[in-house]
Amino acid sequence: MKVKFVASPIMNLAESMKKEATEFFNAHGIALEESQDPEALIVLSGGSEEIAKDFLKPGVILIPFGTANGLAASLEIQSYALEQGFNVPLVSELSDNYVKWLSVFENLKQQKAGLIGKPSSWLIKSGDYTILNQLQIPYMEIPLEELNSLLQEQESLADEIWDKASSSSIEKEEVLKGTKVYTALQKIIDKYQLTAFALRCFDMAVQLKITGCLSLSLFNTKKIPAACEGDVESLVTMMIANQLMGTPGFMINLARKNHPEYTFAHCTIALDLVDSYSLTTHFETGYNVGINGQLHEGVYTAFRMGKDKKYKYFVGETVEKPHVENMCRTQITLRLKQNPFKRSIGNHMVLVPGDWSKELALLEEFGWQLI
């Protein structure tokens, strides 16, 4: 993380405090790099306000450290920035959750995302690359034609998927065809050293009658975030789910709502998020392989990260509902206290087990706006 240490010129403990701060962040997996264009100001003492003025810019984070009035100085610095017309987030306390978020944001810069095919044409907001640039996530575009040239069946994988399924409404031959996409994606990942990817999957379904649902399910199970439809913002959210929450995310559409019950669905899901799964077709096209997973009962959090530091989340508890055929294959209904869709942040959200509201609420201290 690029930082600037600021302290009073007469502060005789400044160097030892700087060393202490560096060791603290290093212990949490965050390497500090001193910079004249910092992402954060580490405020070590009072009397540092005048120095800090030269490094203020929108979005720079104020991190008071130690007990030498760094917090008091940070309050003065923040109020000055507000008078200049821009906001700078202030860390009120270096809690474990806060430092974990810092670590997540730093780790994102070490990832490499592959955008395999352009985002689907209907993702007029969600396919925007801006969030990748704003979070400094390295990425590359890969033509869908390259993937199509690498398709190859993997019989042993098809056998494994078939044997573990609780039931199937399709022939095993369709599962074998579905493994073609998995083997091609694995070659792409190995070639370009990708740690996550988004796939323009509908083109393959229409042109080749082979869906990406099975392959995306398998890569998410392997903790390699894999987003459908080329959805960039969902991909970033899934990457954060893996790092912050240690779990794959289930990329969901809102399918039906009858407040307070909301049903979400998609045709692929990581297999370690379900108690069992059956094999069926992809909903919209009726082709090849879709995953109908039976999710665990309990509490879930849905969230989505958007460009310009906007985000949304909500928490709900599962409600048992019969499976609906005229809908994406994996389905879950949650009971929510409030309607979270009065303001939208995009088509898809990412669902994870458990209540993560405390951790997600902390994003506002980083200057993120809850939608």
Side-chain angles (χ1 to χ4, degrees):
M1 180 170 64
K2 293 181 179 180
V3 302
K4 179 67 178 179
F5 293 97
V6 291
S8 168
I10 62 171
M11 182 65 184
N12 63 349
L13 297 176
E15 283 303 314
S16 63
M17 292 179 67
K18 178 179 171 181
K19 181 180 178 182
E20 183 183 349
T22 301
E23 291 174 349
F24 172 84
F25 285 103
N26 284 345
H28 289 83
I30 303 169
L32 301 184
E33 174 189 346
E34 288 202 65
S35 172
Q36 297 300 108
D37 184 26
E39 301 166 90
L41 297 181
I42 300 182
V43 185
L44 299 177
S45 76
S48 58
E49 294 87 342
E50 188 72 20
I51 299 170
K53 281 174 56 177
D54 295 335
F55 302 97
L56 290 177
K57 60 182 179 181
V60 70
I61 303 171
L62 300 176
I63 304 178
F65 188 89
T67 57
N69 291 321
L71 177 57
S74 297
L75 292 170
E76 179 74 8
I77 295 164
Q78 185 186 49
S79 61
Y80 172 83
L82 287 170
E83 286 193 346
Q84 303 309 304
F86 58 89
N87 187 26
V88 292
L90 168 60
V91 181
S92 59
E93 180 185 2
L94 276 175
S95 64
D96 289 342
N97 283 333
Y98 193 96
V99 177
K100 191 171 184 180
W101 269 116
L102 283 175
S103 179
V104 167
F105 288 133
E106 284 303 297
N107 286 338
L108 287 175
K109 300 172 189 176
Q110 313 305 318
Q111 306 302 306
K112 188 176 183 182
L115 308 178
I116 305 174
K118 296 284 187 181
S120 295
S121 58
W122 52 85
L123 296 182
I124 57 176
K125 189 266 186 187
S126 304
D128 193 318
Y129 292 7
T130 302
I131 190 170
L132 293 168
N133 295 317
Q134 290 177 338
L135 294 180
Q136 302 177 53
I137 301 173
Y139 66 91
M140 65 180 302
E141 293 182 317
I142 301 164
L144 199 58
E145 291 75 18
E146 182 173 351
L147 182 75
N148 292 345
S149 70
L150 299 171
L151 299 174
Q152 184 179 354
E153 294 176 349
Q154 187 175 334
E155 190 170 355
S156 60
L157 179 59
D159 290 341
E160 180 182 352
I161 297 301
W162 182 264
D163 292 342
K164 290 183 178 180
S166 60
S167 63
S168 179
S169 62
I170 59 174
E171 298 297 324
K172 188 176 180 180
E173 179 64 26
E174 295 300 325
V175 182
L176 184 60
K177 285 166 57 179
T179 64
K180 290 180 179 181
V181 182
Y182 177 85
T183 56
L185 285 168
Q186 187 63 67
K187 292 172 184 175
I188 293 285
I189 289 169
D190 292 343
K191 178 179 179 180
Y192 296 111
Q193 298 295 292
L194 303 180
T195 59
F197 67 90
L199 174 66
R200 184 181 173 111
C201 45
F202 269 83
D203 284 23
M204 300 186 71
V206 172
Q207 296 167 11
L208 305 176
K209 297 186 178 180
I210 304 175
T211 64
C213 306
L214 174 61
S215 301
L216 296 173
S217 169
L218 295 174
F219 280 108
N220 278 309
T221 304
K222 291 170 62 175
K223 304 295 191 295
I224 297 176
C228 315
E229 304 172 39
D231 188 326
V232 176
E233 292 192 351
S234 289
L235 175 62
V236 172
T237 308
M238 296 170 87
M239 294 169 75
I240 289 173
N242 265 258
Q243 292 192 41
L244 181 73
M245 298 141 181
T247 180
F250 173 30
M251 183 175 165
I252 52 174
N253 284 321
L254 174 61
R256 291 185 179 177
K257 69 182 184 76
N258 182 20
H259 186 77
E261 296 180 357
Y262 295 76
T263 298
F264 305 92
H266 231 213
C267 287
T268 183
I269 186 169
L271 299 183
D272 53 354
L273 290 179
V274 299
D275 293 321
S276 62
Y277 67 90
S278 59
L279 301 171
T280 182
T281 56
H282 175 247
F283 167 53
E284 286 91 346
T285 63
Y287 293 143
N288 206 239
V289 184
I291 306 292
N292 175 7
Q294 308 303 311
L295 283 121
H296 317 311
E297 294 182 359
V299 175
Y300 286 83
T301 301
F303 75 113
R304 179 185 174 102
M305 313 291 284
K307 68 177 182 180
D308 299 329
K309 288 191 171 182
K310 292 182 172 63
Y311 78 115
K312 177 185 283 290
Y313 72 90
F314 55 85
V315 177
E317 190 165 0
T318 53
V319 177
E320 188 174 349
K321 290 286 183 182
H323 190 269
V324 179
E325 289 301 320
N326 191 29
M327 194 184 291
C328 288
R329 305 314 190 187
T330 296
Q331 303 166 13
I332 184 171
T333 299
L334 299 177
R335 180 176 288 111
L336 307 178
K337 292 182 179 179
Q338 296 176 327
N339 177 7
F341 298 104
K342 292 180 180 179
R343 296 185 67 191
S344 174
I345 193 173
N347 179 10
H348 302 110
M349 296 192 73
V350 173
L351 193 74
V352 292
D355 181 349
W356 293 90
S357 55
K358 182 179 179 181
E359 290 80 0
L360 290 167
L362 199 58
L363 272 175
E364 293 188 89
E365 289 206 34
F366 287 89
W368 286 72
Q369 179 186 355
L370 182 61
I371 299 298

